[in-house]
């Protein structure tokens, strides 16, 4: 090819690429992406240079664009979705910008420890992996891949009731216990069997999720599903979300059984407490009043959560709920938090307001979707490194030294 023809071809290639990027930029799919993904790099850069290697990631948001590229539209929509207008989903992280740090200086922070104890077990870091259902939707070997990452990073993993892989297989891959998240079923006999199975498998803690008992409207997920009619029953059952297809329901005739029944009340907590030796955590507590009821009913720990903004729209951000929940339990049981944790500073702030540990959901699933185990590992690595640096900058050498006096709410 002549030099002129070659330069014409490359100009044409450049024009085509620009046309394609303009088309993508105008697409309603991109408009509904969380804005954060596009702030660190320009839209052109993010689309043209998606993360090729997890090692190149500078922050956990770098994995968001990579996951968007890796996933089918329906699966991306399910992952990114909040409820209604995604207001609470976004607020969970935005609210951290209203918390300012008051760092203490001239403390020798050359050696620090992020060790934390939860129900008698010690962990190297207070950052844990939240239960996220049906992870084969995001990677061929979903929860097993996450378990291997949790093992290599010594992180706590909580396994969802609607996991794609059985609790026994995940514990084997983790090489140690995981916590089990419960979606209770209206049929008590079935719930009892699931709880017993988790206990027999070696789970020391049962986290009952109570924030979906009134139903929800995952509108964004529905919109994405409408533009992606592929059948992938192996990922998540058919029809989409069919509960009978989950391995934790094997051997149970789930016809007619209702998960997250609106009939559940505090009486069910008492029943669960009697049915298991596992420690019981309630996931989804947001108020002082309910925190007190947890203590009265013998609950062992609280996870302040709004399901990553996937439960009730216009809830407060979890970081805004945390202080009153901590106040409600008055030190009697540990309080944890999840929702919107994207930076080490977020982790620090939650701990300063009294959380013992914090969970991440979407960030590690972005890593899983794009790169499998190494992606999850890198997400944990980045958040832990940022958190350690924040501790040092604020003069805290251990989690006990992360003091409430080092954070304040911005006034305006
Ligand atoms: C795709 C997806 C699936 C989830 N599945 C479950 C689940 O099965 N059980 C549960 O208790 N929470 C589930 N959650 C909520 C998470 O455990 C966690 O509360 C939330 O993701 C934390 O917010 P973040 O995503 O902003 O970090 C899910 C969240 C997402 C994004």
């Amino acid at each position: 090819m002549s030099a002129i023809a070659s330069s014409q071809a490359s100009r044409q290639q450049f024009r085509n690429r620009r046309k394609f990027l303009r088309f993508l930029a105008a697409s309603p799919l991109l408009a509904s992406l969380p804005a954060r993904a596009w702030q660190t790099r320009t839209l052109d850069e993010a689309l043209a240079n998606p993360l090729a290697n997890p090692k190149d990631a500078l922050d956990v948001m770098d994995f968001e664009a990579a996951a968007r590229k890796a996933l089918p539209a329906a699966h991306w929509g399910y992952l990114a979705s909040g409820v209604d207008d995604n207001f609470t989903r976004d607020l969970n992280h935005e609210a951290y910008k209203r918390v300012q740090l008051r760092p203490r200086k001239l403390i020798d922070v050359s050696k620090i420890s992020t060790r934390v104890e939860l129900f008698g077990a010690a962990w190297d870091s207070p950052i844990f992996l939240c239960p996220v259902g049906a992870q084969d939707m995001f990677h061929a070997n979903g929860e097993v891949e996450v378990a291997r990452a949790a093992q290599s990073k010594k992180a706590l993993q909580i396994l969802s009731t609607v996991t794609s892989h059985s609790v026994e297989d995940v514990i084997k891959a983790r090489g140690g216990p995981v916590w089990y998240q419960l979606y209770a079923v209206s049929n008590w006999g079935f719930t009892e069997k699931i709880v017993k199975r988790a206990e027999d498998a070696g789970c020391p803690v049962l986290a009952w999720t109570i924030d979906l008992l009134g139903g929800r409207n995952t509108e964004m997920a529905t919109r994405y599903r409408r533009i992606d009619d592929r059948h992938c029953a192996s990922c998540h059952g058919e029809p989409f979300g069919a509960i009978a297809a989950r391995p934790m329901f094997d051997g149970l005739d789930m016809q007619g059984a209702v998960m997250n029944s609106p009939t559940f009340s505090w009486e069910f907590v008492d029943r669960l407490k009697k049915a298991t030796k596992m420690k019981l955590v309630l996931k989804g507590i947001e108020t002082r009043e309910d925190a007190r009821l947890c203590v009265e009913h013998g609950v062992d720990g609280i996870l302040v959560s709004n399901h990553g903004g996937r439960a009730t729209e216009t809830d407060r951000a979890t970081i805004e709920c945390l202080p009153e929940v901590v106040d409600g339990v008055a030190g009697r049981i540990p309080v944890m938090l999840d929702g919107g944790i994207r930076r080490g500073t977020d982790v620090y702030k939650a701990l300063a307001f009294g959380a013992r540990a914090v969970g991440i959901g979407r960030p590690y699933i972005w890593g899983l979707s794009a790169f499998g185990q190494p992606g999850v590992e890198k997400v944990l690595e980045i958040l832990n490194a940022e958190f350690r640096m924040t501790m040092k900058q604020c003069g805290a050498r251990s989690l006990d030294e992360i003091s409430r006096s080092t954070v304040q709410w911005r006034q305006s």
Side-chain angles (χ1 to χ4, degrees):
M1 195 192 288
S2 73
I4 293 175
S6 145
S7 104
Q8 272 172 349
S10 90
R11 268 204 305 278
Q12 186 55 42
Q13 224 177 9
F14 180 69
R15 273 197 295 272
N16 288 345
R17 187 173 155 267
R18 289 200 54 176
K19 227 161 118 186
F20 175 66
L21 289 172
R22 242 184 269 128
F23 164 77
L24 276 181
S27 145
L29 290 185
L30 276 182
S32 54
L33 254 185
R36 186 59 187 76
W38 311 106
Q39 284 168 10
T40 42
R41 293 180 288 166
T42 66
L43 176 63
D44 273 17
E45 280 168 346
L47 285 171
N49 304 302
L51 205 55
N53 185 327
K55 290 196 170 70
D56 296 334
L58 294 177
D59 61 32
V60 303
M61 277 68 69
D62 280 345
F63 289 97
E64 187 178 12
R68 169 69 188 90
K69 252 189 130 64
L71 291 174
H75 294 183
W76 168 257
Y78 174 69
L79 173 60
S81 190
V83 284
D84 292 6
D85 303 313
N86 297 335
F87 175 82
T88 305
R89 177 198 72 178
D90 296 341
L91 185 68
N92 271 343
H93 179 63
E94 287 299 313
Y96 283 99
K97 296 186 184 148
R98 292 208 303 108
V99 181
Q100 299 172 309
L101 295 174
R102 296 183 66 249
R104 297 299 309 277
K105 306 287 161 69
L106 290 178
I107 295 166
D108 178 355
V109 286
S110 52
K111 287 200 188 82
I112 67 162
S113 161
T114 57
R115 187 177 181 277
V116 65
E117 244 188 61
L118 287 165
F119 307 120
W123 302 92
D124 287 349
S125 162
I127 302 170
F128 64 86
L129 303 169
C130 287
V132 167
Q135 292 180 15
D136 277 5
M137 221 188 280
F138 309 114
H139 187 278
N141 214 11
E143 290 85 355
V144 166
E145 203 78 359
V146 172
R148 291 182 183 136
Q151 153 79 337
S152 86
K153 294 292 160 193
K154 303 282 170 273
L156 166 63
Q157 177 184 10
I158 310 184
L159 187 69
S160 167
T161 284
V162 288
T163 171
S164 307
H165 296 264
S166 71
V167 66
E168 296 82 5
D169 287 349
V170 173
I171 286 180
K172 200 165 152 211
R174 174 64 181 80
V178 301
W179 291 9
Y180 188 76
Q181 176 267 328
L182 177 71
Y183 281 138
V185 183
S186 49
N187 179 323
W188 169 250
F190 288 0
T191 298
E192 219 177 2
K193 283 202 171 95
I194 296 165
V195 168
K196 179 94 176 55
R197 181 170 168 187
E199 187 172 309
D200 289 348
C203 298
V205 178
L206 182 72
W208 180 30
T209 299
I210 56 164
D211 53 20
L212 293 183
L213 305 185
R216 64 174 174 177
N217 174 30
T218 48
E219 191 173 309
M220 177 181 177
T222 307
R223 288 188 193 284
Y224 273 69
R225 223 162 46 234
R226 284 185 182 168
I227 57 165
D228 185 357
D229 57 3
R230 277 168 282 190
H231 284 271
C232 44
S234 59
C235 302
H236 46 64
E238 202 61 51
F240 187 90
I243 58 174
R246 312 293 185 184
M248 292 308 292
F249 299 139
D250 281 355
L252 305 176
D253 176 9
M254 294 299 285
Q255 293 299 328
V258 179
M259 219 166 48
N260 292 320
S261 160
T263 60
F264 292 136
S265 68
W266 288 96
E267 184 266 328
F268 198 82
V269 174
D270 303 334
R271 234 173 167 186
L272 274 179
K273 278 291 294 177
K274 282 198 197 106
T276 179
K277 289 195 201 64
M278 289 183 280
K279 297 288 180 192
L280 179 64
V281 168
L282 287 205
K283 178 175 185 280
I285 295 291
E286 296 174 85
T287 61
R288 174 187 292 105
E289 296 88 329
D290 284 343
R292 286 188 185 135
L293 281 167
C294 282
V295 176
E296 281 171 28
H297 285 265
V299 169
D300 300 288
I302 286 177
L303 176 43
V304 176
S305 174
N306 54 34
H307 221 105
R310 295 162 76 84
T312 312
E313 185 66 320
T314 70
D315 260 1
R316 293 169 298 164
T318 48
I319 189 66
E320 294 174 298
C321 303
L322 178 66
E324 69 169 74
V325 172
V326 168
D327 184 50
V329 306
R332 288 169 291 186
I333 55 175
V335 176
M336 294 152 278
L337 167 143
D338 71 29
I341 298 278
R342 303 291 181 267
R343 287 285 187 185
T345 50
D346 303 341
V347 179
Y348 182 93
K349 289 168 186 177
L351 266 59
F353 279 117
R356 179 80 66 87
V358 299
I360 53 169
R362 292 182 186 86
Y364 84 85
I365 299 294
W366 297 333
L368 173 73
S369 305
F371 302 107
Q373 177 184 346
V376 180
E377 287 170 350
K378 186 66 182 175
V379 164
L380 285 168
E381 237 172 80
I382 291 174
L383 274 179
N384 276 300
E386 288 179 355
F387 172 53
R388 291 175 72 86
M389 189 163 69
T390 312
M391 279 179 69
K392 287 181 170 179
Q393 284 292 90
C394 290
R397 290 163 297 195
S398 65
L399 301 196
D400 289 344
E401 287 188 2
I402 298 180
S403 144
R404 173 69 182 77
S405 67
T406 55
V407 286
Q408 68 176 27
W409 290 100
R410 200 173 64 209
Q411 294 308 308
S412 57

